[in-house]
Amino acid sequence: MNYVYNTADPVLYSMLHEWAKENRKYQTEAERFLWDRLRGNRLGKKFNRQHVIGQYIVDFVCLEEKLVIEVDGGYHCQPAQELLDEKRTERLNEMGFTVIRFDNETIIEKIDDVIKVICRYIF
């Protein structure tokens, strides 16, 4: 089944799309690790990486299930970034997306547990 969503802010899309392409080239280790498990419909659902939604570029998204997966590096623990992440999650929720977050270490050290959590949201 083909799911088409107009998820991008048209004013910002061109700029965000270019940034997203750059982000795909320079993934973190944790992003690469998770992408290896998500890509190619390996979980039975299509995922996109570095996808523009509204004014944001999300790490991974399953558009069919409206599930966003964010991979958080160490700086996400800083109070200012936590507030930004909270606002971002609220805005994505308002657009109908569910957002789940994993830190880099959890993805690298406990990938099977991460995949189990993701599967709970997509099935």
Side-chain angles (χ1 to χ4, degrees):
M1 192 175 284
N2 188 12
Y3 291 86
V4 178
Y5 292 87
N6 183 9
T7 59
D9 180 325
V11 175
L12 299 174
Y13 179 75
S14 180
M15 177 183 63
L16 292 173
H17 181 69
E18 287 304 312
W19 285 350
K21 285 192 330 189
E22 284 299 306
N23 288 349
R24 281 190 214 84
K25 290 181 194 174
Y26 303 105
Q27 289 183 325
T28 66
E29 179 184 13
E31 289 170 339
R32 277 191 308 274
F33 205 63
L34 183 55
W35 182 237
D36 283 342
R37 299 293 293 269
L38 297 177
R39 70 188 204 179
N41 293 333
R42 290 184 178 161
L43 297 182
K45 302 284 181 174
K46 179 175 174 27
F47 283 86
N48 298 316
R49 62 187 170 119
Q50 300 300 322
H51 186 82
V52 178
I53 300 176
Q55 63 186 22
Y56 305 108
I57 301 170
V58 300
D59 292 327
F60 303 98
V61 63
C62 176
L63 291 172
E64 179 183 352
E65 300 299 330
K66 296 194 92 170
L67 176 66
V68 169
I69 304 169
E70 295 284 53
V71 177
D72 292 343
Y75 72 94
H76 286 271
C77 295
Q78 297 173 0
Q81 187 61 47
E82 286 177 343
L83 288 174
L84 290 172
D85 289 344
E86 208 173 285
K87 277 293 202 198
R88 176 183 171 106
T89 296
E90 285 175 18
R91 183 68 189 107
L92 289 165
N93 290 160
E94 289 168 4
M95 289 186 268
F97 290 89
T98 298
V99 179
I100 56 176
R101 294 180 169 278
F102 300 98
D103 61 52
N104 289 337
E105 294 77 23
T106 301
I107 290 170
I108 292 167
E109 296 171 10
K110 299 179 181 180
I111 189 64
D112 290 334
D113 292 340
V114 168
I115 296 303
K116 286 177 188 172
V117 170
I118 294 169
C119 285
R120 281 190 227 130
Y121 283 92
I122 61 175
F123 296 111

